[in-house]
Structure formats: C-alpha cells, structure tokens
C-alpha cells in the first residue's frame, strides 16, 4: 500500500507542469509523509455541482494546474463529441491564487483541441463571464473562481452555450471524459493561438446593467460598499456611476483584490464578522444602506439600520423586496426560486397573477426555468436580468435594491417599512438556518441516515404533517440528496452543501399578521418557533 502510494505520487510528479506544486509534492515524497500523501491521493476532486472546487495544492484531491488541465481537456472532448469543434469557449477568472494560471491553461487546452478560446482581459466578476458567453455566441464558458470559499481554495465553474451552469447529464458526461485522459502528455497545449479580449465585452455588460433600472426612477440612496477583497469594486462603481447614484463609500480595507483575504475568516458576507468593517464605515458615514459583494461578485448582501444598529438582511428578505419592486414596476414573466428559499415569493407572485416555479438548489436550475423574469436563492443570489445574465449577478442586484431604496426614500420610507407591509399582506415569513461545518464528511452522512431512520414526528412543538425524502424526486423535482418536512405553519429542509463541507438545514415559519400593530408580537412568536425547531432538529440529527 505504502509503495503503491509513493509510486502514484511519483507518476503525478513527473507530469506536473507547475514548479510550486512539484516542489511541494517532492518534499512530501522525500519525507515519506504517508498520511498527507494518502489524503491527497485518496481519489480525485469530483466534477460536480458546477465543476470543481477544492483546496490549492499538489495531488488529485487538490486544485492545481494538473487537475485543471485534465478538466479542460475533458470539457474540450465533450464539446467536440457534441459537434462543437471550432466553437468559441470564453474564459474568465477571479483574483485568487493561481486563477490566472488556470485560465491560461484552459485557453491552451481549448486551442490545442481545435476549439477557439477567448480570455477576459483581467480578473472580473463571474456575471461578466456569464454575460459574455451569450453575447459572444460561445459554445461554453469557464470561470475560475472559488466564490466565497476560504483563501486556500480555488474552483472551476463550467457553463454551456445557453449561458447557464451545467446540469445532469452534462456534468457526468464531462466527468467521464476527464477520467478517460490517461496522461497529461496526451493533451496538446500550444503556447499561443487564443485571444485575450479587450474591455469591449465589459462595456457591453455595463450597457446592459442600465436596462435593469426604470428610466425615470429616483437615484438618491447613499451606500457603503465592500468588495470583500474580491473583484467587484471597479465594475460596481462603473455601474453606479452610469446609473447616476451617489458614489458608494468604499470599505477601504476590503476594496481591492487580495487573494489572502486578510480581514475576514471567510470572505462570505453571511459569515459572522465578515461585515464588521462595513458596519464601522456605516456608523461614520450614515448611508441609507450597505451593499456587499462576495469575492467574485455574483452574490449581493444588503444591510440596513434598525433601531440605531446595522443588521444584515437575510437573503430571503432581499429576495422578497426585489420581487415586490419588480411587481410594482409591472414586470411580467415567471418568478422562480430554489426549494430552500422562502415561500413568500410564491405568495407575491400569486397576488400579482404571475407564474411561479420552485427548483432544486442552485442557479443552474433556476436559470433554466421557462420564461424566467426573476429568480433568487436565499444564499444572497439574485437574477434580475435573465436575458442578459442567466446566473446570479451581484452587480445588477445591487443596482436594483439601491433603486428600490431610493424610491422608498422619496416617500420617507425604508426597506424595513416595505418588509413590514409584505408581512401584513402575506403573513410574516421568518427564515433561519442551522448550518454545521465539518472536517469529517461522514458526520453529514450519519446525520442524514439518522433522520431517515428515525423520522421526526414533531419539531418545535408542531406536528410534521408531511415528510419527503427528496432522493426519490417529486412530481416537480428531480432526485437530490435532501429531506423536506412540512409542518403546520412551518417548513424544514435538510441537505448537504454542494460546494462546502457543511450540513445545511433551512427553516421557515409563517405567522399571520392581522395589522401593523401585531408585528412585534408576530416577530417574537416567529423567533421562538424558529429557536424551538432548530433545537429539536439538532437533537434529531445528532449534530
């Protein structure tokens, strides 16, 4: 076993084109570090949810140039097998460690496989890449990003020519092509032959962002903005300037790209502490709202002042606000969300006589909804211009929520006032999450097994009226690893995260609110219920 491991590591070492990871692996082999080698060679990074994501380092269980070249070669083989030979593949990348290298390797592989490759001019938000695919008539797109993962991670997100991320069976077909690559020496990688795009594609995207706003809307709301050490700043500032909004006040410490993300433990606006610097800046400048992007700027977080303190709005709250704003502007078309998001969107759509769809988790599903006009997911993802970007877009979402804040400001109202109105009209839809990050993935599998074997009958004192194992699929949803419990006035969904080592439980309670005077009591009732459900669920799952 030990000899076999060393032999596999040496074979990998002989193919590795990257001096940095070669040196790292050579030292592990020399030291005979069997534990570390076993971890890196225990399998291969799985080409899954949207592609690849993992920690940077040497070996098949890490993100590195060898893994990326193989992935690119598998994608190229898939495209050629589908008759796309000579088609354009457009490649974008963020500012993480190795992202530019991975983008260049992908361009070389595509060129060597007889496809045309075009690389975006510099690190740019993921939505710019998603836009560029359809704008340029590409057959596929690749974005090198790990989104809001920790600094040591990177990833590889794949889109097909419709501009949305891959879904089954394409992912499995590409994975099969990747596995079929025997050696890196079989993959042609010329040094030239691809195009590096200029800023014309970015200008076209920015022109498109103007279209999400109403022509004569107020543009007065003042913002504090953080790019969370990512690539959003320049594009967001350009979009806000074009729209005529006041220039956002930047959180200077987090404004420019930095792959080490020095001021945050996790560069995700949802994580505790990530917004502290933005809150501090807001206390100094007293804006109308805070806007945050995640590092690749496909997500948008919003914070508001409530009783003198700043607080993050939940993704479901922003999702409902944007929906109400679009309805108010006369939007037509289907409103869609994932099953883990708040059912309030369905109520808003129903009242406005608009079609409504629920999908599996992930924008790869939401973006495929027929006739989509607006889609959102509770994890801070919003698609407000599906004809331009068939994915979540943190830039256009920021524009639209700032337009809404400006409109309300002109009426001496706030985003919180509109949320109160929605609660009175449709019931208070309060959501929360029980999220457990693990080192050992078997903990997640055990929790799911335990819930399947010992199905809870009550949660938070409410009877479970319906329990669904989503691995079997439903009449509207394809199979997925998840459990859904319907309670009397509440809903719970439990699923393993598709991108991080986390078990995620999504809770929602709905409390009727007869009048505005009943809001404080409704919030208390909802919070108590959510706490009780969370406690009982945690016990039931053994986490």
């Amino acid at each position: 076993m030990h000899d076999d491991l060393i032999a596999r590591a040496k074979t990998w070492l002989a193919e590795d084109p990257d001096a940095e990871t070669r040196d790292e692996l050579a030292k592990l082999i020399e030291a005979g570090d069997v534990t570390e080698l076993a971890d890196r060679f225990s399998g291969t990074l799985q080409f899954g949810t949207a592609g690849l994501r993992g920690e940077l380092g040497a070996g098949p269980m890490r993100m590195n140039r060898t893994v990326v070249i193989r992935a690119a070669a598998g994608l190229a083989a898939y495209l050629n097998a589908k008759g796309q030979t000579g088609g354009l593949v457009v490649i974008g990348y963020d500012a993480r460690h190795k992202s530019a290298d991975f983008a260049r390797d992908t361009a070389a592989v595509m060129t060597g496989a007889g496809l045309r490759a075009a690389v975006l001019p510099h690190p740019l938000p993921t939505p710019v890449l998603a836009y560029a695919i359809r704008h340029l008539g590409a057959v596929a797109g690749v974005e090198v990003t790990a989104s809001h993962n920790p600094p040591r991670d990177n990833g590889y997100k794949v889109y097909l020519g419709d501009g949305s991320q891959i879904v089954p069976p394409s992912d499995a077909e590409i994975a099969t092509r990747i596995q079929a690559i025997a050696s890196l020496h079989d993959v042609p990688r010329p040094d030239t032959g691809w195009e590096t795009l200029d800023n014309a594609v970015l200008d076209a995207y920015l022109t498109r962002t103007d279209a999400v706003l109403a022509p004569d809307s107020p543009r007065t709301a003042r913002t504090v903005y953080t790019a969370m050490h990512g690539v959003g700043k320049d594009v967001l500032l350009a979009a806000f300037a074009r729209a005529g909004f006041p220039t956002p006040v930047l959180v200077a410490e987090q404004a420019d790209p930095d792959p080490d993300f020095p001021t945050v433990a996790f560069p995700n606006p949802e994580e505790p502490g990530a917004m502290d610097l933005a809150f501090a800046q807001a206390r100094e400048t007293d804006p109308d709202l805070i806007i945050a992007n995640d590092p690749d700027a496909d997500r948008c977080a919003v914070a508001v002042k409530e009783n003198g303190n700043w607080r993050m709005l939940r993704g479901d709250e922003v999702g409902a606000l944007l929906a109400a704003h679009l309805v108010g502007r006369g939007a037509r078309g289907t409103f869609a969300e994932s099953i883990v998001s708040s059912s309030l969107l369905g109520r808003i759509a129903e009242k406005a006589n608009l079609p409504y769809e629920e999908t599996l988790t992930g924008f790869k599903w939401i973006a495929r909804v027929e006739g989509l006009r607006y889609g959102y997911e509770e994890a801070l993802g919003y698609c407000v211009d599906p004809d331009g970007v068939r994915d979540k877009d943190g830039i256009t979402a920021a524009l639209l929520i700032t337009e809404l804040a400006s409109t309300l400001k002109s009426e001496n109202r706030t985003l919180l006032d509109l949320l109160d109105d929605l609660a009175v009209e449709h019931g208070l839809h309060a959501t929360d999450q029980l999220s457990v990050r693990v080192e050992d993935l078997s903990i997640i599998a055990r929790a799911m097994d335990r819930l399947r074997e010992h199905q809870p009958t009550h949660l938070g004192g409410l009877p479970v009226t319906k329990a669904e194992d989503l691995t079997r699929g439903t009449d509207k949803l394809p199979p997925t690893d998840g459990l859904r419990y319907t309670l009397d006035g509440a809903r719970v969904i439990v699923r393993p995260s598709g991108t991080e080592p986390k078990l995620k439980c999504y809770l929602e309670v709905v409390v009727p609110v007869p009048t505005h005077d009943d809001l404080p009591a409704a919030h208390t009732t909802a919070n108590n219920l959510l706490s009780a459900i969370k406690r009982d669920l945690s016990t039931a799952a053994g986490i």
Side-chain angles (χ1 to χ4, degrees), residues 16 52 110 278 448 500 505 524:
D16 192 341
L52 298 164
M110 295 302 159
M448 295 297 287
E500 297 177 273
C505 312
T524 302

Side-chain angles (χ1 to χ4, degrees), residues 284-449:
E284 283 179 33
T285 51
D286 198 29
D288 297 298
L289 70 164
I290 299 171
I291 300 282
N293 285 140
D294 68 338
D296 69 326
D298 62 351
R299 286 174 168 81
C300 175
V302 180
V304 294
K305 202 174 192 178
E306 184 175 49
N307 303 324
N309 294 313
W310 286 90
R311 83 154 173 103
M312 276 269 292
L313 291 177
R314 291 190 171 276
D316 286 317
E317 291 176 309
V318 177
L321 288 168
L322 291 174
H325 184 42
L326 288 169
V327 165
R329 279 182 23 187
R332 308 307 298 165
T334 303
F335 279 33
E337 64 180 341
S338 62
I339 55 170
V340 299
S341 306
S342 169
S343 58
L344 177 56
L345 184 70
R347 304 267 181 107
I348 292 170
E350 185 183 13
K351 183 87 185 274
N353 288 317
L354 293 174
Y356 164 75
E357 290 279 340
E358 265 192 331
T359 73
L360 292 184
T361 311
F363 260 84
K364 59 182 183 175
W365 298 109
I366 295 169
R368 285 183 155 69
V369 167
E370 195 74 32
L372 182 68
R373 174 59 188 89
Y374 168 65
Y376 99 90
E377 188 155 74
E378 53 68 49
L380 311 181
Y382 315 94
C383 174
V384 301
D385 176 26
D387 290 341
V389 175
R390 279 198 193 168
D391 198 2
K392 52 189 178 291
D393 183 344
I395 306 294
T396 48
L399 287 169
L400 201 62
I401 198 75
T402 308
E403 177 185 59
L404 172 57
S406 301
T407 303
L408 291 165
K409 189 178 179 179
S410 70
E411 303 162 0
N412 281 324
R413 283 158 45 79
T414 67
L415 295 173
L416 292 174
D417 292 328
L418 179 52
L419 280 174
D420 286 349
D421 291 351
L422 290 172
V424 173
E425 189 174 358
H426 303 288
L428 174 62
H429 289 62
T431 56
D432 200 359
Q433 219 187 92
L434 172 62
S435 181
V436 184
R437 185 181 290 273
V438 298
E439 291 287 327
D440 177 2
L441 288 174
S442 69
I443 293 169
I444 293 176
R446 278 201 302 277
M448 295 297 287
D449 288 345

Side-chain angles (χ1 to χ4, degrees), residues 67 117 129 327 419 499 503 506 524:
V67 164
L129 180 275
V327 165
L419 280 174
T499 52
L503 180 69
Y506 305 84
T524 302

Side-chain angles (χ1 to χ4, degrees), residues 503-525:
L503 180 69
K504 290 187 161 184
C505 312
Y506 305 84
L507 324 177
E508 178 177 46
V509 301
V510 183
V511 180
V513 187
T515 70
H516 278 77
D517 292 341
D518 299 299
L519 274 163
H523 278 287
T524 302
T525 301

